[in-house]
Amino acid sequence: MLVSEFQYDLPPERIAQEPLADRAGSRLLHLTRLDQNRLPGSWQGQSWQDRKFREFPDLLRPDDLLVVNNTRVFPARLYGHRSGQRAQPLSPHNPAARDFLRGQVEVLLTRQVADDPIEWECLVRPGRKIGIGEKLYFSYSPDAPLEDAPPELEAEVTERGSFGERRIRFAPAADFFARIERIGHVPLPPYIDRDDRAADRDRYQTVYAQAPGSAARSVAAPTAGLHFTPEILEQIRGRGIEIAEITLHVGLGTFQPVRVEKVEDHKLHREWYEIPAEAARAINRAKDERRRIVAVGTTTVRTLEYAAEFAGKPAAQRTSENRVEAGQGEADAFIYPGYRFRIVDALLTNFHLPQSTLLMLVCALGGKELVMDAYRHAVEAGYRFYSYGDCMFIE
């Protein structure tokens, strides 16, 4: 299967640059497979309907289990200065020397890989200029000279990868995550063409996200959850619909484009997840009772499908039961058309970038022909796209 098969044209003005004042005010494109004996991914006899997100609670069945990702986005974008100690020396008569050697640097923390000392995988800009051994300094006011603003955090580049990827080791610092919260910026996606604002700390976060603190590890929001309000959640519970919470910390894979021609050649980055025992019991009970599992967001789908009881086991150890195990791990489930879903029956999701792994996942569940046709309809009908945009419900 070719990556180019997941291309669609999107005018730039369709990309939502700001969240709506009302979280629940988004539009919802409702995709329905009309064949009641359908399998996820089948596409004959399907249709769509333009709706509002406020109608979502009424689209659920009374015995559904709604599963959400309660991860919390932390201010993972840091601005600072490089030391310049690994740069090529410049003439002292060059007025640009100081700015070049101690120029600004932008770091996006994507995945913590060690606790003591604290080490992170990250994306760095300008990537080509930052080599192994380079020291980086991060302050609340990165424009101020280092001698005037002692850094809140210091780090050293320890490994270098392709496409701007680096591994950095932070110097010991008390209350590391408190400092990150103080000096970091909300990691808005690159297609939002503006700087982050104070309001984004609330709006680029679900209302059911984990409490602030060291548990925050996501570098992107599970955006399908951004539409929910406490009132919408109360309506859902008021109908007797069960809600389960799992966690997947969104990482580098969200930002990395697919750079191969064939879908099957792409490899996903691993992302940390946890399924609490209570959530696992609710999911397995719903499967036993043949009730629908409705996932909120592609991150929830990836977690549940990866954590199915037989996922990652040798063939001889697999079972025919569609169940999940409680626990923690690192998921790298790459789902594209042809995949057989074991847990998820329906999906609420935002619109995704062309040729992205997230769009491939949606096509796997809804059927490639239907989803791509629905995307073209959404473009023509003026839907707002991506993180702060509208949503789609596939059942």
Side-chain angles (χ1 to χ4, degrees), residues 141-388:
S141 300
D143 293 331
L146 289 175
E147 55 269 23
D148 296 340
E152 291 265 3
L153 293 170
E154 301 179 23
E156 179 180 350
V157 179
T158 60
E159 293 183 20
R160 180 171 180 162
S162 56
F163 308 114
E165 298 171 36
R166 298 291 186 274
R167 182 165 174 158
I168 61 175
R169 178 183 299 125
F170 283 93
D175 301 321
F176 174 80
F177 283 101
R179 296 183 185 217
I180 292 288
E181 289 287 338
R182 184 162 59 248
I183 69 174
H185 291 255
V186 177
L188 294 178
Y191 47 74
I192 294 182
D193 189 20
R194 63 172 176 81
D195 293 333
D196 66 301
R197 307 187 185 108
D200 291 308
R201 290 209 172 203
D202 172 66
R203 288 297 276 109
Y204 197 60
Q205 202 82 260
T206 65
V207 297
Y208 47 75
Q210 297 168 331
S214 61
R217 291 292 188 276
S218 272
V219 301
T223 54
L226 297 181
H227 307 282
F228 288 86
T229 64
E231 293 76 19
I232 292 289
L233 291 170
E234 188 59 33
Q235 288 180 38
I236 292 171
R237 292 190 178 96
R239 296 190 58 210
I241 297 169
E242 196 175 3
I243 300 176
E245 296 186 11
I246 55 94
T247 304
L248 180 127
H249 294 327
V250 187
L252 181 60
T254 292
F255 295 91
Q256 293 290 54
V258 178
R259 295 188 173 94
V260 296
E261 292 183 3
K262 294 182 179 179
V263 171
E264 296 85 352
D265 293 338
H266 182 68
K267 303 296 182 184
L268 281 185
H269 287 75
R270 294 175 295 166
E271 297 170 307
W272 185 92
Y273 77 89
E274 179 179 16
I275 299 181
E278 180 180 359
R281 285 192 296 269
I283 293 163
N284 293 332
R285 184 168 59 247
K287 298 303 291 186
D288 291 342
E289 297 171 354
R290 298 184 179 276
R291 296 155 50 205
R292 286 199 315 180
I293 305 293
V294 180
V296 176
T298 56
T299 61
T300 301
V301 176
R302 296 204 304 272
T303 305
L304 297 182
E305 293 298 320
Y306 182 87
E309 186 173 349
F310 50 86
K313 294 183 178 180
Q317 298 181 19
R318 295 178 182 176
T319 72
S320 59
E321 295 182 286
N322 296 338
R323 306 177 68 80
V324 300
E325 294 179 336
Q328 302 176 355
E330 290 191 318
D332 59 357
F334 181 22
I335 298 173
Y336 51 88
Y339 178 85
R340 184 177 70 84
F341 286 84
R342 297 166 173 87
I343 304 297
V344 175
D345 302 296
L347 169 65
L348 177 74
T349 183
N350 275 24
F351 294 94
H352 303 289
L353 276 71
Q355 301 188 27
S356 65
T357 59
L358 305 184
L359 177 55
M360 294 172 193
L361 183 154
V362 174
C363 287
L365 184 70
K368 180 171 172 288
E369 291 83 356
L370 170 72
V371 170
M372 297 306 293
D373 284 346
Y375 265 60
R376 285 185 280 270
H377 165 75
V379 172
E380 295 172 358
Y383 278 72
R384 303 166 70 250
F385 275 64
Y386 305 157
S387 294
Y388 276 149

Side-chain angles (χ1 to χ4, degrees), residues 1-252:
M1 185 176 295
L2 298 178
V3 174
S4 59
E5 296 178 39
F6 298 89
Q7 176 63 30
Y8 66 92
D9 295 325
L10 181 70
E13 60 269 19
R14 293 283 185 268
I15 301 174
Q17 298 295 316
E18 304 283 349
L20 296 177
D22 176 13
R23 280 183 180 264
S26 296
R27 298 172 68 185
L28 183 150
L29 185 57
H30 181 201
L31 275 64
T32 306
R33 294 183 292 267
L34 300 178
D35 180 4
Q36 296 303 311
N37 297 317
R38 65 190 179 274
L39 293 174
S42 63
W43 67 276
Q44 291 189 6
Q46 300 169 317
S47 66
W48 60 70
Q49 187 174 2
D50 297 313
R51 295 181 179 271
K52 298 290 187 181
F53 177 75
R54 291 191 181 279
E55 301 175 63
F56 179 67
D58 294 327
L59 298 178
L60 297 173
R61 302 173 186 173
D63 62 351
D64 279 344
L65 173 63
L66 191 70
V67 185
V68 302
N69 179 8
N70 66 7
T71 190
R72 186 173 192 86
V73 180
F74 78 114
R77 180 168 279 119
L78 304 177
Y79 295 99
H81 290 89
R82 52 196 291 246
S83 66
Q85 64 191 69
R86 294 292 176 175
Q88 293 292 326
L90 297 179
S91 167
H93 302 293
N94 185 342
R98 185 180 184 278
D99 290 339
F100 177 83
L101 293 177
R102 302 177 68 175
Q104 289 191 349
V105 63
E106 176 185 338
V107 169
L108 176 64
L109 303 176
T110 59
R111 178 171 172 261
Q112 186 173 356
V113 292
D115 292 320
D116 190 16
I118 294 176
E119 296 187 2
W120 280 78
E121 292 177 350
C122 61
L123 296 178
V124 177
R125 291 197 306 180
R128 287 184 297 177
K129 297 180 180 179
I130 309 300
I132 295 175
E134 181 76 75
K135 295 288 184 66
L136 307 175
Y137 305 100
F138 305 103
S139 302
Y140 183 76
S141 300
D143 293 331
L146 289 175
E147 55 269 23
D148 296 340
E152 291 265 3
L153 293 170
E154 301 179 23
E156 179 180 350
V157 179
T158 60
E159 293 183 20
R160 180 171 180 162
S162 56
F163 308 114
E165 298 171 36
R166 298 291 186 274
R167 182 165 174 158
I168 61 175
R169 178 183 299 125
F170 283 93
D175 301 321
F176 174 80
F177 283 101
R179 296 183 185 217
I180 292 288
E181 289 287 338
R182 184 162 59 248
I183 69 174
H185 291 255
V186 177
L188 294 178
Y191 47 74
I192 294 182
D193 189 20
R194 63 172 176 81
D195 293 333
D196 66 301
R197 307 187 185 108
D200 291 308
R201 290 209 172 203
D202 172 66
R203 288 297 276 109
Y204 197 60
Q205 202 82 260
T206 65
V207 297
Y208 47 75
Q210 297 168 331
S214 61
R217 291 292 188 276
S218 272
V219 301
T223 54
L226 297 181
H227 307 282
F228 288 86
T229 64
E231 293 76 19
I232 292 289
L233 291 170
E234 188 59 33
Q235 288 180 38
I236 292 171
R237 292 190 178 96
R239 296 190 58 210
I241 297 169
E242 196 175 3
I243 300 176
E245 296 186 11
I246 55 94
T247 304
L248 180 127
H249 294 327
V250 187
L252 181 60

